[in-house]
Structures are given as C-alpha cells and as structure tokens.
Amino acid sequence: MARGSYTGNRAVVQGAQKALDQFKYEVAHELGLQGVDDGYWGEIPSRQCGAVGGHMVRKMIEMAEQNLAGRTTR
C-alpha cells in the first residue's frame, strides 16, 4: 500500500455505515453481549469485540457466497 493512501475504517459505499452499525449490534446480541445497546463498548473486553468483528466477516462471506451461488452465468 502506498504511503498516505490508507483512509481508515470507513464504509466504501455511501450510506452503508448505518447498516454496518446495525449489523454489528445484531451480531453482538447473537453472541450474548450485554450493555452495548447504548453505544458504549468500553466495558467489553477486546477479545469479545474482536469476536463480533470476526462473526461479522464470516456472515458477510456467507451472504456473498449465497449471492454468488444464486447467480446464473450466461
């Protein structure tokens, strides 16, 4: 990666950030994390926060694979 080209953890698609945040909270609830509804994650250990991110990635890959499997090639 070229120096200075990193743009940070921002959604590439405009308007996707709100959906990603909602998805993050859905995954947190699936994992049984309590107390994140108010948006404060300071009392959640970093290992559990990382687990939320890992599960988000797995679910996004699964959704992409399902989407690709449903497509037909011409």
Side-chain angles (χ1 to χ4, degrees):
M1 180 166 35
R3 179 176 285 180
S5 65
Y6 180 69
T7 59
N9 288 335
R10 291 186 288 183
V12 176
V13 178
Q14 283 185 338
Q17 189 63 48
K18 185 175 181 180
L20 287 170
D21 283 340
Q22 181 180 0
F23 184 49
K24 174 174 62 177
Y25 286 102
E26 289 174 11
V27 170
H29 283 283
E30 288 177 11
L31 294 175
L33 295 181
Q34 302 294 322
V36 296
D37 291 331
D38 60 358
Y40 179 67
W41 290 70
E43 295 183 12
I44 306 297
S46 60
R47 184 179 183 108
Q48 288 181 323
C49 288
V52 171
H55 283 279
M56 286 176 67
V57 170
R58 284 187 204 101
K59 287 180 151 253
M60 286 187 272
I61 291 171
E62 181 182 328
M63 288 186 283
E65 287 175 344
Q66 289 174 352
N67 188 13
L68 289 171
R71 291 185 182 174
T72 59
T73 57
R74 294 182 184 189

